[in-house]
Amino acid sequence: MVHPTAIIHPKAKVPASVEVGPYAVIDEAVELGEGCVIGPHVYLTGWTRIGPGNRFFAGCVIGEVPQDLKYQGGRSTLLIGENNVFREHVTVHRSNKPAEQTVLGSNNFLMAHCHVGHNCRVGNHVILANGALLGGHVTVDDRAFISAIASCTSLSASAPWP
């Protein structure tokens, strides 16, 4: 189901099983997996590949250019696994260099207003509480929990238990 106000570039890869809400925009180089749900006012852009079963709530911006003065343009990428939840107004940026990637694993829960910056690598089953911010080049291991309004830059965060 695609809402009539949604804008989907004809070259975007959007399977028939994807639901697209009102005023969502999906740009040319975006690839979506089966069963994704795109909420209202979501913007999917850039060279972004999204696995099956992801859910994007209202106002998310996914795959935008990095907030990095070193970014010189070019085909930088964002890879997203499967079954992630992106709550309201989450932003995830693609990498700052064409040879690198921003990567978000599977089964993650990003609460409202979280940000995942360029070149981050987020594992699986990670929770980012409301307003958590990952600056560029942050690595978060599987099953980590980043608390609300926390800011992480250029570090590795791991869960305190196996």
Side-chain angles (χ1 to χ4, degrees):
M1 181 180 111
V2 176
H3 193 276
T5 61
I7 300 171
I8 301 174
H9 192 283
K11 291 185 179 178
K13 294 180 180 171
V14 181
S17 63
V18 171
E19 294 180 33
V20 183
Y23 304 101
V25 176
I26 302 174
D27 282 342
E28 177 178 7
V30 173
E31 296 179 28
L32 286 161
E34 296 285 340
C36 289
V37 178
I38 313 303
H41 299 279
V42 170
Y43 181 39
L44 304 177
T45 189
W47 291 273
T48 299
R49 191 169 67 220
I50 300 167
N54 285 284
R55 178 140 191 207
F56 300 89
F57 284 77
C60 291
V61 177
I62 309 296
E64 190 57 91
V65 298
Q67 296 177 22
D68 185 347
L69 295 175
K70 294 184 295 298
Y71 177 67
Q72 299 296 310
R75 186 181 172 151
S76 61
T77 57
L78 167 62
L79 302 177
I80 297 174
E82 57 189 54
N83 301 317
N84 296 291
V85 175
F86 301 83
R87 291 306 305 250
E88 297 81 6
H89 305 283
V90 167
T91 56
V92 182
H93 290 170
R94 60 186 200 262
S95 60
N96 66 354
K97 295 178 184 172
E100 299 175 8
Q101 300 171 326
T102 300
V103 179
L104 187 76
S106 298
N107 302 300
N108 297 305
F109 185 43
L110 285 72
M111 296 181 194
H113 303 282
C114 288
H115 173 69
V116 177
H118 62 85
N119 303 78
C120 285
R121 301 189 80 73
V122 177
N124 302 305
H125 300 280
V126 170
I127 298 172
L128 299 180
N130 298 72
L133 307 173
L134 304 180
H137 303 277
V138 172
T139 299
V140 179
D141 292 335
D142 292 351
R143 299 193 180 279
F145 175 84
I146 308 293
S147 64
I149 324 270
S151 180
C152 303
T153 58
S154 299
L155 60 76
S156 180
S158 298
W161 59 87

